[in-house]
Amino acid sequence: MKIDVVAVGKLKEKYLKEGISEYLKRLKPFVKLKITEIADEPHKDNLCAKMSAQVMEAGASRIEKHIRKSSFIIALDVHGKIFSSEELAAFFKTL
């Protein structure tokens, strides 16, 4: 299985980079994993709805450039459903 992660924003914290590096090492025997970081879309805080939508649209078009047509897309969000490791593994197995 090949997994491409397209992440918005750059990781700056050393401990997060180290954690990701450890998980990449653990996953290597099971999946081909590639992480692409794209820059945040520049914007000011407290934008009006119209400007916020424009910023989101610009960011989405930059993300789309990294997605192949044959991809199965999973969007991760802090407000989304939480999976345990076992549940996530079972989900990927069904794909």
Side-chain angles (χ1 to χ4, degrees):
M1 177 182 289
K2 184 172 193 285
I3 299 175
D4 292 329
V5 176
V6 180
V8 178
K10 285 235 174 235
L11 277 179
K12 297 170 189 81
E13 296 86 355
K14 184 179 177 182
Y15 74 97
L16 288 175
K17 289 180 181 182
E18 290 171 353
I20 289 171
S21 179
E22 177 64 25
Y23 274 101
L24 289 173
K25 185 173 67 175
R26 291 180 187 192
L27 289 170
K28 194 172 186 173
F30 307 104
V31 298
K32 211 173 174 183
L33 184 63
K34 176 184 167 192
I35 298 176
T36 303
E37 294 178 331
I38 61 172
D40 284 321
E41 191 64 29
H43 67 280
K44 296 179 182 177
D45 292 336
N46 301 324
L47 295 176
C48 68
K50 182 179 178 182
M51 292 298 291
S52 181
Q54 288 175 343
V55 168
M56 296 281 280
E57 187 69 31
S61 67
R62 289 205 337 254
I63 291 169
E64 287 174 342
K65 292 177 184 176
H66 297 277
I67 299 173
R68 293 185 312 267
K69 291 185 187 249
S70 61
S71 296
F72 185 88
I73 300 169
I74 301 170
L76 303 180
D77 183 278
V78 295
H79 303 291
K81 182 177 178 182
I82 297 174
F83 286 96
S84 68
S85 295
E86 294 82 7
E87 290 170 328
L88 187 59
F91 176 76
F92 280 119
K93 191 174 182 178
T94 64
L95 297 177

